Amino acid sequence: MPPVSEAALRAAVMRLDPASGVEFDREFHAAWEQALQQDSTVPMHTFLRRWAVFVSLHRYPGRSARVRELERLVGAASSLEEARAAADEVGRLLAAAESEIAGR
């Protein structure tokens, strides 16, 4: 897991999913503008945390594929129970990503 910094996360995102690099840059600039307007570091911390979770989830091909499959299952679920089961697993994967980031 790379350090939770803009440069390290940008490099990781570009290596893992270059198509997401555009969204990374757009969100970085939006967070920077918001931080300046609010005179607060919260928007930058939120940005960094969001992309650290992205990197944590997608740095293992199997886990990345599972996240995408679960997202598809939630969207295509024919019952609330199916959607909840897939969403619960997404929640567990997100919790594991958060733990990985916190344990750095």
Side-chain angles (χ1 to χ4, degrees):
M1 184 68 200
V4 181
S5 70
E6 180 264 333
L9 291 173
R10 174 180 275 118
V13 168
M14 293 306 290
R15 189 172 55 256
L16 294 169
D17 185 11
S20 293
V22 172
E23 184 179 355
F24 180 96
D25 285 336
R26 184 187 57 75
E27 287 185 16
F28 171 75
H29 292 295
W32 183 256
E33 289 288 324
Q34 189 177 15
L36 290 173
Q37 290 172 359
Q38 295 176 358
D39 194 25
S40 171
T41 60
V42 171
M44 292 306 296
H45 287 286
T46 302
F47 165 82
L48 292 171
R49 189 63 155 202
R50 179 242 189 286
W51 285 97
V53 168
F54 175 92
V55 168
S56 177
L57 287 175
H58 295 283
R59 67 194 202 110
Y60 298 107
R63 185 165 44 182
S64 182
R66 185 62 182 156
V67 167
R68 288 187 171 102
E69 175 63 12
L70 290 167
E71 289 171 340
R72 189 196 65 72
L73 288 172
V74 168
S78 59
S79 71
L80 186 56
E81 291 78 25
E82 286 179 15
R84 280 190 179 145
D88 286 346
E89 189 174 345
V90 169
R92 288 190 295 276
L93 290 170
L94 288 171
E98 288 285 345
S99 293
E100 184 177 29
I101 294 163
R104 285 197 74 270

